[in-house]
Amino acid sequence: MPTKKKEPQVTAAAARRRELLDTAAEVFAEQGYNATTVRTIADHAGMLAGSLYYHFDSKESMLEEILRTFLDELWAGYDAVLESELGPRETLEALVTESFREIDRHRAAVAIYQKENGQLAAQERFAFLADSQRRFEKAWLSTLERGVAADVFRPDLDVRLTYRFVRDTVWVAASWYRPGGQHSPEEIARQYLSMVLDGIAVRR
């Protein structure tokens, strides 16, 4: 009996924790990490600042969990793609699609990452951001290089420049994308890939 009574309490606590992290992520994304205080997050969550400390010991802890959750899910999706032995074009398409899905699931976290990564990565607590960036770059560059070697992508392609273009144009979508909008992440990925791989001009 005691075990059965504890289960809904644990579930409720986990749900509340997730709700608070979602609120904090939105505030960090909108106001910036340095400008956000624990009191600001508590106000948006409709609670006293002291009550927030019951769940988290600092705003740094909240930010770390927000970013780790986002990156763990991102890499679960990326690793599944990279281990599936797809061709280079199909790999690029799958990585782009997975990226837009992550923006759909973690829009605020992506926006935070975009704005704060440079500053945070220099701190020991957030060293995992730099590690993830290195993995990210390696995954994309190797896919592009594989495509050039297989004559799937143009031989004159500057893979590093292409990587930077794709990286920045995909993730900037977090600044305007809103979950539940007119287009699904898969549809946005399809349109994006059509422009990148096939261009926008009519072929004569």
Side-chain angles (χ1 to χ4, degrees), residues 107-155:
R107 186 203 62 80
V110 174
I112 296 167
Y113 184 87
Q114 288 288 92
K115 295 177 183 176
E116 312 283 357
N117 181 53
Q119 175 187 330
L120 292 173
Q123 302 177 31
E124 184 176 352
R125 180 168 193 164
F126 294 97
F128 65 91
L129 296 176
D131 293 337
S132 181
Q133 181 58 38
R134 284 189 287 270
R135 289 179 64 195
F136 188 86
E137 182 174 320
K138 181 179 178 181
W140 283 90
L141 288 178
S142 63
T143 298
L144 292 168
E145 289 166 351
R146 194 157 57 92
V148 172
D151 291 327
V152 172
F153 302 142
R154 294 196 335 248

mmCIF file of all heavy atoms in Angstrom, residues 107-155:
data_model
loop_
_atom_site.group_PDB
_atom_site.id
_atom_site.type_symbol
_atom_site.label_atom_id
_atom_site.label_comp_id
_atom_site.label_asym_id
_atom_site.label_seq_id
_atom_site.Cartn_x
_atom_site.Cartn_y
_atom_site.Cartn_z
ATOM 1 N N ARG A 107 12.104 24.364 -28.477
ATOM 2 C CA ARG A 107 12.346 25.654 -29.130
ATOM 3 C C ARG A 107 13.096 26.626 -28.228
ATOM 4 O O ARG A 107 14.072 27.257 -28.643
ATOM 5 C CB ARG A 107 11.023 26.288 -29.566
ATOM 6 C CG ARG A 107 11.186 27.571 -30.379
ATOM 7 C CD ARG A 107 9.952 28.430 -30.312
ATOM 8 N NE ARG A 107 9.678 28.853 -28.960
ATOM 9 C CZ ARG A 107 10.293 29.860 -28.358
ATOM 10 N NH1 ARG A 107 11.239 30.537 -28.974
ATOM 11 N NH2 ARG A 107 9.985 30.190 -27.112
ATOM 12 N N ALA A 108 12.650 26.775 -26.983
ATOM 13 C CA ALA A 108 13.288 27.730 -26.073
ATOM 14 C C ALA A 108 14.726 27.326 -25.773
ATOM 15 O O ALA A 108 15.625 28.172 -25.730
ATOM 16 C CB ALA A 108 12.488 27.844 -24.774
ATOM 17 N N ALA A 109 14.972 26.037 -25.576
ATOM 18 C CA ALA A 109 16.332 25.564 -25.287
ATOM 19 C C ALA A 109 17.257 25.835 -26.470
ATOM 20 O O ALA A 109 18.418 26.215 -26.286
ATOM 21 C CB ALA A 109 16.315 24.067 -24.966
ATOM 22 N N VAL A 110 16.753 25.648 -27.690
ATOM 23 C CA VAL A 110 17.560 25.936 -28.879
ATOM 24 C C VAL A 110 17.892 27.423 -28.942
ATOM 25 O O VAL A 110 19.023 27.815 -29.246
ATOM 26 C CB VAL A 110 16.826 25.493 -30.165
ATOM 27 C CG1 VAL A 110 17.607 25.935 -31.404
ATOM 28 C CG2 VAL A 110 16.636 23.984 -30.183
ATOM 29 N N ALA A 111 16.901 28.267 -28.647
ATOM 30 C CA ALA A 111 17.130 29.712 -28.655
ATOM 31 C C ALA A 111 18.180 30.108 -27.616
ATOM 32 O O ALA A 111 19.057 30.937 -27.890
ATOM 33 C CB ALA A 111 15.822 30.449 -28.387
ATOM 34 N N ILE A 112 18.117 29.501 -26.446
ATOM 35 C CA ILE A 112 19.112 29.765 -25.407
ATOM 36 C C ILE A 112 20.493 29.348 -25.894
ATOM 37 O O ILE A 112 21.475 30.079 -25.752
ATOM 38 C CB ILE A 112 18.771 29.005 -24.110
ATOM 39 C CG1 ILE A 112 17.448 29.497 -23.525
ATOM 40 C CG2 ILE A 112 19.891 29.166 -23.074
ATOM 41 C CD1 ILE A 112 16.894 28.593 -22.442
ATOM 42 N N TYR A 113 20.558 28.150 -26.451
ATOM 43 C CA TYR A 113 21.828 27.620 -26.951
ATOM 44 C C TYR A 113 22.429 28.561 -27.987
ATOM 45 O O TYR A 113 23.631 28.842 -27.971
ATOM 46 C CB TYR A 113 21.583 26.235 -27.548
ATOM 47 C CG TYR A 113 22.827 25.528 -28.025
ATOM 48 C CD1 TYR A 113 23.582 24.746 -27.159
ATOM 49 C CD2 TYR A 113 23.247 25.617 -29.352
ATOM 50 C CE1 TYR A 113 24.716 24.085 -27.590
ATOM 51 C CE2 TYR A 113 24.385 24.970 -29.791
ATOM 52 C CZ TYR A 113 25.110 24.204 -28.907
ATOM 53 O OH TYR A 113 26.242 23.564 -29.342
ATOM 54 N N GLN A 114 21.594 29.066 -28.883
ATOM 55 C CA GLN A 114 22.059 29.973 -29.920
ATOM 56 C C GLN A 114 22.636 31.258 -29.331
ATOM 57 O O GLN A 114 23.667 31.755 -29.774
ATOM 58 C CB GLN A 114 20.898 30.327 -30.861
ATOM 59 C CG GLN A 114 20.459 29.202 -31.772
ATOM 60 C CD GLN A 114 21.466 28.914 -32.873
ATOM 61 O OE1 GLN A 114 22.338 28.071 -32.711
ATOM 62 N NE2 GLN A 114 21.353 29.610 -33.975
ATOM 63 N N LYS A 115 21.959 31.807 -28.337
ATOM 64 C CA LYS A 115 22.354 33.093 -27.770
ATOM 65 C C LYS A 115 23.500 32.991 -26.767
ATOM 66 O O LYS A 115 24.356 33.866 -26.684
ATOM 67 C CB LYS A 115 21.158 33.748 -27.073
ATOM 68 C CG LYS A 115 20.023 34.133 -27.993
ATOM 69 C CD LYS A 115 18.859 34.697 -27.181
ATOM 70 C CE LYS A 115 17.672 35.029 -28.050
ATOM 71 N NZ LYS A 115 16.508 35.495 -27.240
ATOM 72 N N GLU A 116 23.505 31.931 -25.981
ATOM 73 C CA GLU A 116 24.385 31.874 -24.809
ATOM 74 C C GLU A 116 25.563 30.924 -24.938
ATOM 75 O O GLU A 116 26.447 30.914 -24.080
ATOM 76 C CB GLU A 116 23.561 31.449 -23.572
ATOM 77 C CG GLU A 116 22.251 32.195 -23.372
ATOM 78 C CD GLU A 116 22.452 33.589 -22.799
ATOM 79 O OE1 GLU A 116 23.602 33.961 -22.503
ATOM 80 O OE2 GLU A 116 21.451 34.309 -22.635
ATOM 81 N N ASN A 117 25.597 30.111 -25.997
ATOM 82 C CA ASN A 117 26.610 29.060 -26.106
ATOM 83 C C ASN A 117 28.034 29.573 -25.954
ATOM 84 O O ASN A 117 28.836 29.004 -25.213
ATOM 85 C CB ASN A 117 26.465 28.317 -27.427
ATOM 86 C CG ASN A 117 27.477 27.202 -27.577
ATOM 87 O OD1 ASN A 117 27.602 26.336 -26.724
ATOM 88 N ND2 ASN A 117 28.227 27.238 -28.663
ATOM 89 N N GLY A 118 28.370 30.661 -26.649
ATOM 90 C CA GLY A 118 29.739 31.180 -26.609
ATOM 91 C C GLY A 118 30.189 31.543 -25.216
ATOM 92 O O GLY A 118 31.317 31.231 -24.812
ATOM 93 N N GLN A 119 29.328 32.175 -24.465
ATOM 94 C CA GLN A 119 29.664 32.593 -23.111
ATOM 95 C C GLN A 119 29.681 31.420 -22.137
ATOM 96 O O GLN A 119 30.588 31.283 -21.313
ATOM 97 C CB GLN A 119 28.647 33.622 -22.625
ATOM 98 C CG GLN A 119 28.826 34.038 -21.170
ATOM 99 C CD GLN A 119 27.684 34.931 -20.681
ATOM 100 O OE1 GLN A 119 27.096 35.670 -21.468
ATOM 101 N NE2 GLN A 119 27.370 34.845 -19.418
ATOM 102 N N LEU A 120 28.704 30.545 -22.265
ATOM 103 C CA LEU A 120 28.576 29.438 -21.301
ATOM 104 C C LEU A 120 29.649 28.375 -21.490
ATOM 105 O O LEU A 120 30.131 27.791 -20.511
ATOM 106 C CB LEU A 120 27.195 28.790 -21.440
ATOM 107 C CG LEU A 120 25.998 29.634 -21.011
ATOM 108 C CD1 LEU A 120 24.698 28.920 -21.380
ATOM 109 C CD2 LEU A 120 26.046 29.915 -19.516
ATOM 110 N N ALA A 121 30.030 28.099 -22.747
ATOM 111 C CA ALA A 121 30.977 27.016 -23.022
ATOM 112 C C ALA A 121 32.324 27.229 -22.346
ATOM 113 O O ALA A 121 33.077 26.273 -22.125
ATOM 114 C CB ALA A 121 31.164 26.843 -24.523
ATOM 115 N N ALA A 122 32.641 28.478 -22.002
ATOM 116 C CA ALA A 122 33.914 28.775 -21.352
ATOM 117 C C ALA A 122 33.895 28.413 -19.869
ATOM 118 O O ALA A 122 34.942 28.358 -19.225
ATOM 119 C CB ALA A 122 34.250 30.257 -21.512
ATOM 120 N N GLN A 123 32.712 28.146 -19.324
ATOM 121 C CA GLN A 123 32.589 27.799 -17.912
ATOM 122 C C GLN A 123 32.677 26.289 -17.738
ATOM 123 O O GLN A 123 32.100 25.525 -18.520
ATOM 124 C CB GLN A 123 31.260 28.303 -17.360
ATOM 125 C CG GLN A 123 31.042 29.801 -17.484
ATOM 126 C CD GLN A 123 29.681 30.233 -16.995
ATOM 127 O OE1 GLN A 123 29.118 29.631 -16.084
ATOM 128 N NE2 GLN A 123 29.133 31.282 -17.593
ATOM 129 N N GLU A 124 33.385 25.858 -16.718
ATOM 130 C CA GLU A 124 33.603 24.428 -16.505
ATOM 131 C C GLU A 124 32.291 23.654 -16.406
ATOM 132 O O GLU A 124 32.165 22.549 -16.933
ATOM 133 C CB GLU A 124 34.423 24.210 -15.229
ATOM 134 C CG GLU A 124 34.787 22.759 -14.979
ATOM 135 C CD GLU A 124 35.688 22.589 -13.764
ATOM 136 O OE1 GLU A 124 36.144 23.605 -13.205
ATOM 137 O OE2 GLU A 124 35.925 21.430 -13.379
ATOM 138 N N ARG A 125 31.308 24.244 -15.748
ATOM 139 C CA ARG A 125 30.032 23.564 -15.568
ATOM 140 C C ARG A 125 29.353 23.257 -16.893
ATOM 141 O O ARG A 125 28.599 22.286 -17.010
ATOM 142 C CB ARG A 125 29.110 24.409 -14.690
ATOM 143 C CG ARG A 125 27.741 23.779 -14.438
ATOM 144 C CD ARG A 125 26.992 24.493 -13.355
ATOM 145 N NE ARG A 125 25.855 23.724 -12.909
ATOM 146 C CZ ARG A 125 25.194 23.936 -11.775
ATOM 147 N NH1 ARG A 125 25.586 24.905 -10.960
ATOM 148 N NH2 ARG A 125 24.160 23.195 -11.446
ATOM 149 N N PHE A 126 29.601 24.105 -17.878
ATOM 150 C CA PHE A 126 28.942 23.954 -19.170
ATOM 151 C C PHE A 126 29.910 23.498 -20.265
ATOM 152 O O PHE A 126 29.667 23.715 -21.450
ATOM 153 C CB PHE A 126 28.279 25.271 -19.572
ATOM 154 C CG PHE A 126 27.144 25.669 -18.674
ATOM 155 C CD1 PHE A 126 27.351 26.568 -17.630
ATOM 156 C CD2 PHE A 126 25.883 25.133 -18.836
ATOM 157 C CE1 PHE A 126 26.303 26.934 -16.789
ATOM 158 C CE2 PHE A 126 24.829 25.483 -18.001
ATOM 159 C CZ PHE A 126 25.038 26.393 -16.972
ATOM 160 N N ALA A 127 30.967 22.831 -19.857
ATOM 161 C CA ALA A 127 31.950 22.337 -20.831
ATOM 162 C C ALA A 127 31.327 21.337 -21.798
ATOM 163 O O ALA A 127 31.824 21.153 -22.919
ATOM 164 C CB ALA A 127 33.130 21.695 -20.102
ATOM 165 N N PHE A 128 30.238 20.701 -21.391
ATOM 166 C CA PHE A 128 29.580 19.734 -22.266
ATOM 167 C C PHE A 128 29.050 20.392 -23.545
ATOM 168 O O PHE A 128 28.861 19.715 -24.562
ATOM 169 C CB PHE A 128 28.439 19.022 -21.536
ATOM 170 C CG PHE A 128 27.289 19.904 -21.138
ATOM 171 C CD1 PHE A 128 26.196 20.083 -21.983
ATOM 172 C CD2 PHE A 128 27.278 20.549 -19.908
ATOM 173 C CE1 PHE A 128 25.122 20.879 -21.617
ATOM 174 C CE2 PHE A 128 26.214 21.357 -19.531
ATOM 175 C CZ PHE A 128 25.133 21.529 -20.389
ATOM 176 N N LEU A 129 28.848 21.705 -23.521
ATOM 177 C CA LEU A 129 28.387 22.410 -24.715
ATOM 178 C C LEU A 129 29.458 22.390 -25.807
ATOM 179 O O LEU A 129 29.161 22.171 -26.981
ATOM 180 C CB LEU A 129 28.011 23.850 -24.376
ATOM 181 C CG LEU A 129 26.839 24.055 -23.420
ATOM 182 C CD1 LEU A 129 26.655 25.537 -23.115
ATOM 183 C CD2 LEU A 129 25.556 23.454 -23.991
ATOM 184 N N ALA A 130 30.703 22.621 -25.408
ATOM 185 C CA ALA A 130 31.808 22.602 -26.370
ATOM 186 C C ALA A 130 32.010 21.185 -26.913
ATOM 187 O O ALA A 130 32.272 20.998 -28.106
ATOM 188 C CB ALA A 130 33.087 23.107 -25.724
ATOM 189 N N ASP A 131 31.875 20.183 -26.046
ATOM 190 C CA ASP A 131 32.011 18.793 -26.491
ATOM 191 C C ASP A 131 30.938 18.454 -27.528
ATOM 192 O O ASP A 131 31.221 17.811 -28.544
ATOM 193 C CB ASP A 131 31.893 17.844 -25.294
ATOM 194 C CG ASP A 131 33.060 17.975 -24.325
ATOM 195 O OD1 ASP A 131 34.128 18.446 -24.765
ATOM 196 O OD2 ASP A 131 32.889 17.611 -23.149
ATOM 197 N N SER A 132 29.726 18.889 -27.259
ATOM 198 C CA SER A 132 28.626 18.635 -28.185
ATOM 199 C C SER A 132 28.851 19.352 -29.504
ATOM 200 O O SER A 132 28.580 18.793 -30.573
ATOM 201 C CB SER A 132 27.301 19.086 -27.564
ATOM 202 O OG SER A 132 26.227 18.823 -28.438
ATOM 203 N N GLN A 133 29.372 20.564 -29.450
ATOM 204 C CA GLN A 133 29.629 21.328 -30.673
ATOM 205 C C GLN A 133 30.658 20.629 -31.548
ATOM 206 O O GLN A 133 30.519 20.580 -32.782
ATOM 207 C CB GLN A 133 30.108 22.735 -30.321
ATOM 208 C CG GLN A 133 30.393 23.632 -31.516
ATOM 209 C CD GLN A 133 29.185 23.812 -32.417
ATOM 210 O OE1 GLN A 133 28.055 23.921 -31.935
ATOM 211 N NE2 GLN A 133 29.405 23.838 -33.715
ATOM 212 N N ARG A 134 31.683 20.057 -30.928
ATOM 213 C CA ARG A 134 32.698 19.330 -31.692
ATOM 214 C C ARG A 134 32.087 18.087 -32.363
ATOM 215 O O ARG A 134 32.387 17.785 -33.528
ATOM 216 C CB ARG A 134 33.867 18.935 -30.783
ATOM 217 C CG ARG A 134 34.797 20.099 -30.447
ATOM 218 C CD ARG A 134 36.040 19.623 -29.733
ATOM 219 N NE ARG A 134 35.764 19.223 -28.357
ATOM 220 C CZ ARG A 134 35.820 20.039 -27.314
ATOM 221 N NH1 ARG A 134 36.138 21.312 -27.483
ATOM 222 N NH2 ARG A 134 35.554 19.601 -26.094
ATOM 223 N N ARG A 135 31.247 17.377 -31.637
ATOM 224 C CA ARG A 135 30.570 16.203 -32.208
ATOM 225 C C ARG A 135 29.654 16.613 -33.356
ATOM 226 O O ARG A 135 29.582 15.939 -34.385
ATOM 227 C CB ARG A 135 29.747 15.490 -31.136
ATOM 228 C CG ARG A 135 30.529 14.755 -30.078
ATOM 229 C CD ARG A 135 29.577 14.118 -29.065
ATOM 230 N NE ARG A 135 28.727 13.096 -29.682
ATOM 231 C CZ ARG A 135 27.635 12.595 -29.099
ATOM 232 N NH1 ARG A 135 27.248 13.037 -27.912
ATOM 233 N NH2 ARG A 135 26.924 11.665 -29.720
ATOM 234 N N PHE A 136 28.963 17.711 -33.150
ATOM 235 C CA PHE A 136 28.023 18.225 -34.138
ATOM 236 C C PHE A 136 28.754 18.558 -35.444
ATOM 237 O O PHE A 136 28.344 18.160 -36.536
ATOM 238 C CB PHE A 136 27.355 19.473 -33.563
ATOM 239 C CG PHE A 136 26.217 20.010 -34.382
ATOM 240 C CD1 PHE A 136 24.933 19.514 -34.230
ATOM 241 C CD2 PHE A 136 26.424 21.034 -35.296
ATOM 242 C CE1 PHE A 136 23.878 20.020 -34.979
ATOM 243 C CE2 PHE A 136 25.382 21.553 -36.047
ATOM 244 C CZ PHE A 136 24.099 21.035 -35.886
ATOM 245 N N GLU A 137 29.859 19.273 -35.306
ATOM 246 C CA GLU A 137 30.645 19.664 -36.479
ATOM 247 C C GLU A 137 31.184 18.439 -37.203
ATOM 248 O O GLU A 137 31.128 18.363 -38.438
ATOM 249 C CB GLU A 137 31.781 20.583 -36.049
ATOM 250 C CG GLU A 137 32.635 21.087 -37.194
ATOM 251 C CD GLU A 137 33.659 22.120 -36.749
ATOM 252 O OE1 GLU A 137 33.316 22.975 -35.911
ATOM 253 O OE2 GLU A 137 34.801 22.061 -37.231
ATOM 254 N N LYS A 138 31.685 17.489 -36.454
ATOM 255 C CA LYS A 138 32.235 16.270 -37.064
ATOM 256 C C LYS A 138 31.167 15.510 -37.838
ATOM 257 O O LYS A 138 31.406 15.025 -38.949
ATOM 258 C CB LYS A 138 32.839 15.374 -35.975
ATOM 259 C CG LYS A 138 33.456 14.092 -36.517
ATOM 260 C CD LYS A 138 34.056 13.250 -35.390
ATOM 261 C CE LYS A 138 34.635 11.951 -35.941
ATOM 262 N NZ LYS A 138 35.200 11.111 -34.853
ATOM 263 N N ALA A 139 29.969 15.406 -37.269
ATOM 264 C CA ALA A 139 28.887 14.658 -37.916
ATOM 265 C C ALA A 139 28.500 15.295 -39.244
ATOM 266 O O ALA A 139 28.343 14.601 -40.263
ATOM 267 C CB ALA A 139 27.676 14.590 -36.989
ATOM 268 N N TRP A 140 28.358 16.612 -39.243
ATOM 269 C CA TRP A 140 27.947 17.297 -40.458
ATOM 270 C C TRP A 140 29.060 17.338 -41.503
ATOM 271 O O TRP A 140 28.814 17.103 -42.691
ATOM 272 C CB TRP A 140 27.487 18.725 -40.134
ATOM 273 C CG TRP A 140 26.121 18.744 -39.540
ATOM 274 C CD1 TRP A 140 25.781 18.677 -38.217
ATOM 275 C CD2 TRP A 140 24.880 18.806 -40.262
ATOM 276 N NE1 TRP A 140 24.420 18.706 -38.067
ATOM 277 C CE2 TRP A 140 23.840 18.790 -39.295
ATOM 278 C CE3 TRP A 140 24.551 18.893 -41.606
ATOM 279 C CZ2 TRP A 140 22.498 18.845 -39.655
ATOM 280 C CZ3 TRP A 140 23.209 18.943 -41.972
ATOM 281 C CH2 TRP A 140 22.200 18.916 -40.996
ATOM 282 N N LEU A 141 30.281 17.630 -41.091
ATOM 283 C CA LEU A 141 31.383 17.684 -42.058
ATOM 284 C C LEU A 141 31.630 16.322 -42.699
ATOM 285 O O LEU A 141 31.855 16.222 -43.905
ATOM 286 C CB LEU A 141 32.657 18.188 -41.377
ATOM 287 C CG LEU A 141 32.700 19.676 -41.014
ATOM 288 C CD1 LEU A 141 34.001 20.009 -40.293
ATOM 289 C CD2 LEU A 141 32.543 20.554 -42.260
ATOM 290 N N SER A 142 31.576 15.269 -41.906
ATOM 291 C CA SER A 142 31.823 13.935 -42.458
ATOM 292 C C SER A 142 30.733 13.543 -43.442
ATOM 293 O O SER A 142 31.006 12.882 -44.461
ATOM 294 C CB SER A 142 31.920 12.897 -41.331
ATOM 295 O OG SER A 142 30.701 12.802 -40.619
ATOM 296 N N THR A 143 29.499 13.959 -43.173
ATOM 297 C CA THR A 143 28.398 13.665 -44.097
ATOM 298 C C THR A 143 28.599 14.392 -45.419
ATOM 299 O O THR A 143 28.427 13.813 -46.503
ATOM 300 C CB THR A 143 27.053 14.087 -43.471
ATOM 301 O OG1 THR A 143 26.831 13.328 -42.267
ATOM 302 C CG2 THR A 143 25.898 13.844 -44.438
ATOM 303 N N LEU A 144 28.966 15.673 -45.347
ATOM 304 C CA LEU A 144 29.205 16.449 -46.559
ATOM 305 C C LEU A 144 30.410 15.919 -47.337
ATOM 306 O O LEU A 144 30.373 15.794 -48.569
ATOM 307 C CB LEU A 144 29.411 17.920 -46.199
ATOM 308 C CG LEU A 144 28.172 18.645 -45.649
ATOM 309 C CD1 LEU A 144 28.562 19.989 -45.046
ATOM 310 C CD2 LEU A 144 27.128 18.834 -46.752
ATOM 311 N N GLU A 145 31.473 15.593 -46.622
ATOM 312 C CA GLU A 145 32.671 15.052 -47.276
ATOM 313 C C GLU A 145 32.371 13.710 -47.951
ATOM 314 O O GLU A 145 32.860 13.436 -49.058
ATOM 315 C CB GLU A 145 33.793 14.898 -46.248
ATOM 316 C CG GLU A 145 34.367 16.237 -45.782
ATOM 317 C CD GLU A 145 35.234 16.111 -44.539
ATOM 318 O OE1 GLU A 145 35.238 15.007 -43.937
ATOM 319 O OE2 GLU A 145 35.876 17.103 -44.155
ATOM 320 N N ARG A 146 31.570 12.912 -47.296
ATOM 321 C CA ARG A 146 31.188 11.622 -47.870
ATOM 322 C C ARG A 146 30.374 11.822 -49.148
ATOM 323 O O ARG A 146 30.526 11.082 -50.125
ATOM 324 C CB ARG A 146 30.380 10.839 -46.815
ATOM 325 C CG ARG A 146 30.189 9.376 -47.108
ATOM 326 C CD ARG A 146 29.899 8.597 -45.822
ATOM 327 N NE ARG A 146 28.745 9.114 -45.112
ATOM 328 C CZ ARG A 146 27.497 8.669 -45.272
ATOM 329 N NH1 ARG A 146 27.252 7.697 -46.145
ATOM 330 N NH2 ARG A 146 26.503 9.156 -44.579
ATOM 331 N N GLY A 147 29.530 12.851 -49.136
ATOM 332 C CA GLY A 147 28.723 13.139 -50.319
ATOM 333 C C GLY A 147 29.556 13.608 -51.494
ATOM 334 O O GLY A 147 29.297 13.233 -52.644
ATOM 335 N N VAL A 148 30.570 14.421 -51.215
ATOM 336 C CA VAL A 148 31.473 14.884 -52.279
ATOM 337 C C VAL A 148 32.259 13.697 -52.847
ATOM 338 O O VAL A 148 32.390 13.542 -54.064
ATOM 339 C CB VAL A 148 32.439 15.966 -51.750
ATOM 340 C CG1 VAL A 148 33.495 16.296 -52.791
ATOM 341 C CG2 VAL A 148 31.662 17.227 -51.367
ATOM 342 N N ALA A 149 32.777 12.859 -51.973
ATOM 343 C CA ALA A 149 33.574 11.708 -52.401
ATOM 344 C C ALA A 149 32.751 10.732 -53.227
ATOM 345 O O ALA A 149 33.273 10.062 -54.134
ATOM 346 C CB ALA A 149 34.156 10.994 -51.186
ATOM 347 N N ALA A 150 31.439 10.657 -52.939
ATOM 348 C CA ALA A 150 30.568 9.716 -53.652
ATOM 349 C C ALA A 150 29.908 10.343 -54.876
ATOM 350 O O ALA A 150 29.052 9.720 -55.510
ATOM 351 C CB ALA A 150 29.490 9.201 -52.699
ATOM 352 N N ASP A 151 30.320 11.581 -55.225
ATOM 353 C CA ASP A 151 29.743 12.306 -56.361
ATOM 354 C C ASP A 151 28.249 12.562 -56.194
ATOM 355 O O ASP A 151 27.506 12.681 -57.175
ATOM 356 C CB ASP A 151 29.976 11.552 -57.683
ATOM 357 C CG ASP A 151 31.445 11.545 -58.081
ATOM 358 O OD1 ASP A 151 32.142 12.528 -57.785
ATOM 359 O OD2 ASP A 151 31.888 10.547 -58.681
ATOM 360 N N VAL A 152 27.813 12.639 -54.939
ATOM 361 C CA VAL A 152 26.422 12.980 -54.645
ATOM 362 C C VAL A 152 26.281 14.499 -54.505
ATOM 363 O O VAL A 152 25.277 15.078 -54.915
ATOM 364 C CB VAL A 152 25.954 12.280 -53.348
ATOM 365 C CG1 VAL A 152 24.564 12.770 -52.923
ATOM 366 C CG2 VAL A 152 25.950 10.772 -53.527
ATOM 367 N N PHE A 153 27.306 15.126 -53.932
ATOM 368 C CA PHE A 153 27.366 16.579 -53.840
ATOM 369 C C PHE A 153 28.452 17.091 -54.783
ATOM 370 O O PHE A 153 29.392 16.371 -55.121
ATOM 371 C CB PHE A 153 27.664 17.016 -52.398
ATOM 372 C CG PHE A 153 26.668 16.523 -51.384
ATOM 373 C CD1 PHE A 153 27.090 16.121 -50.124
ATOM 374 C CD2 PHE A 153 25.310 16.465 -51.686
ATOM 375 C CE1 PHE A 153 26.178 15.658 -49.185
ATOM 376 C CE2 PHE A 153 24.402 16.008 -50.761
ATOM 377 C CZ PHE A 153 24.825 15.596 -49.493
ATOM 378 N N ARG A 154 28.335 18.358 -55.183
ATOM 379 C CA ARG A 154 29.259 18.933 -56.158
ATOM 380 C C ARG A 154 30.718 18.819 -55.712
ATOM 381 O O ARG A 154 31.029 19.024 -54.532
ATOM 382 C CB ARG A 154 28.932 20.408 -56.375
ATOM 383 C CG ARG A 154 27.594 20.667 -57.029
ATOM 384 C CD ARG A 154 27.497 22.089 -57.571
ATOM 385 N NE ARG A 154 28.376 23.025 -56.903
ATOM 386 C CZ ARG A 154 27.943 24.030 -56.128
ATOM 387 N NH1 ARG A 154 26.654 24.174 -55.877
ATOM 388 N NH2 ARG A 154 28.797 24.876 -55.600
ATOM 389 N N PRO A 155 31.629 18.548 -56.639
ATOM 390 C CA PRO A 155 33.039 18.398 -56.280
ATOM 391 C C PRO A 155 33.689 19.704 -55.825
ATOM 392 O O PRO A 155 34.683 19.681 -55.106
ATOM 393 C CB PRO A 155 33.685 17.881 -57.569
ATOM 394 C CG PRO A 155 32.763 18.318 -58.659
ATOM 395 C CD PRO A 155 31.390 18.246 -58.071
#
